Amino acid sequence: MNFIRPNRLMKIELRGVLKSYRSIRALDYVSLEIEPGQIVSLLGPNGAGKTTLIRCLIGIAAPDKGGIYFDGEDFRRDRLDLRSRMYILPDFPFLFWEHSVIRNIATILRLYNADGDGAENRVLELLREFDLLPLALRPVGSLSRGQIYKTGLVAMLAADREVWLLDEPFASGMDPHGIDAFKRHAREAAKRGRTILYSTQILDVAERFSDRVCLIHKGAIHAFDTLTRLREQAQDKDNVLQEMFRQLRERDK
């Protein structure tokens, strides 16, 4: 399949990023480095700063202080060249509800310059895999929530950017088949050097489907490591993430 895909790998760095909404610090001087080819789960209670972090990484929101760097280059909202190397999939995808599934995907691929030779076959394969082929000509607004998310997911997989940013993919309404297909594609993409950063509240998923876990609470990073190393430091080896969440709650008392 020969449609245009990025060939470079992208390292993500946050250096002292502060983002506030009035008196609330959504991100409290966050510093973080994510190497290419990793699946990273972003964990934290409601309001911890997960979505704000993802929004800053894609350029939807701008830090008040600090910097974000991709491959060592200072990222700003007007750096469309860097933004084009990333893809954000929110918990409810940005799509045109009155347009068909296939038209939405075609529009997105055109925007990403990923509609070259082989794109059509690739999209058809993905639509078939995610059980969307019979729905390809239906307006997105007529679909279920899970089917809408799958439409956005197919577009993301076909565009194949270097960095995937997903907000709550496992609470998207997808059926088990769709979730399994997403996991398989994400793991294959990581092997090709893509970076997958996703937020979740489901601890069991994070434990099984992450190379690294990033725990954020009240806008600050409390842990960023592999499950193996986190388990070495934990008392409850079988429930590492639950123990970490319990510790956070105890600190808030």
Side-chain angles (χ1 to χ4, degrees):
M1 298 180 185
N2 299 317
F3 64 92
I4 298 174
R5 288 178 174 172
N7 294 316
R8 295 164 59 191
L9 305 180
M10 183 182 281
K11 179 180 179 179
I12 301 171
E13 294 179 80
L14 290 86
R15 302 176 188 172
V17 171
L18 172 69
K19 179 63 180 178
S20 298
Y21 296 102
R22 296 184 180 179
S23 61
I24 298 174
R25 286 189 177 181
L27 296 177
D28 192 5
Y29 294 100
V30 168
S31 294
L32 192 65
E33 292 187 14
I34 302 176
E35 296 290 341
Q38 296 186 58
I39 297 177
V40 179
S41 59
L42 187 59
L43 302 174
N46 293 331
K50 302 185 297 298
T51 299
T52 299
L53 177 56
I54 291 175
R55 288 167 61 88
C56 285
L57 285 174
I58 198 65
I60 295 175
D64 301 324
K65 292 183 180 180
I68 297 174
Y69 300 84
F70 294 102
D71 291 341
E73 297 186 50
D74 189 6
F75 175 61
R76 303 179 306 276
R77 298 175 73 178
D78 61 351
R79 286 294 303 270
L80 297 182
D81 57 326
L82 291 176
R83 293 180 74 173
S84 69
R85 296 167 64 188
M86 297 176 275
Y87 196 110
I88 183 171
L89 187 59
D91 58 349
F92 216 85
F94 303 127
L95 298 169
F96 298 101
W97 303 127
E98 70 277 13
H99 293 173
S100 68
V101 169
I102 196 69
R103 185 176 178 185
N104 268 283
I105 295 170
T107 300
I108 292 169
L109 294 189
R110 194 173 303 118
L111 288 172
Y112 277 94
N113 194 28
D115 58 344
D117 294 342
E120 183 176 344
N121 289 337
R122 173 63 169 162
V123 169
L124 289 175
E125 290 173 5
L126 290 168
L127 289 173
R128 187 177 294 109
E129 183 175 3
F130 284 90
D131 298 326
L132 290 176
L133 194 56
L135 309 174
L137 299 180
R138 282 181 51 179
V140 164
S142 69
L143 305 182
S144 70
R145 185 186 179 206
Q147 291 166 339
I148 291 171
Y149 195 85
K150 285 181 182 180
T151 301
L153 188 57
V154 166
M156 185 189 75
L157 295 174
D160 193 23
R161 301 295 95 180
E162 296 158 80
V163 175
W164 304 3
L165 303 169
L166 303 101
D167 199 4
E168 299 285 356
F170 298 105
S172 61
M174 282 197 297
D175 54 38
H177 174 74
I179 290 174
D180 287 343
F182 161 63
K183 288 181 177 180
R184 183 172 63 255
H185 280 283
R187 184 54 64 190
E188 291 172 355
K191 290 178 181 177
R192 291 186 285 109
R194 305 297 186 246
T195 301
I196 295 93
L197 175 65
Y198 71 96
S199 65
T200 185
Q201 297 279 14
I202 307 174
L203 301 186
D204 289 344
V205 169
E207 287 198 13
R208 296 193 302 269
F209 185 65
S210 305
D211 298 317
R212 283 179 174 266
V213 170
C214 180
L215 178 60
I216 184 169
H217 181 51
K218 293 185 176 180
I221 303 296
H222 287 262
F224 179 59
D225 214 331
T226 64
L227 258 299
T228 299
R229 284 196 283 267
L230 291 174
R231 189 170 286 112
E232 290 173 354
Q233 303 166 20
Q235 294 181 349
D236 188 349
K237 307 296 184 183
D238 296 325
N239 299 284
V240 178
L241 299 181
Q242 290 182 12
E243 179 181 306
M244 294 170 67
F245 267 77
R246 283 197 300 269
Q247 291 172 351
L248 290 178
R249 287 197 298 271
E250 290 172 359
R251 292 177 190 175
D252 290 340
K253 292 180 180 178

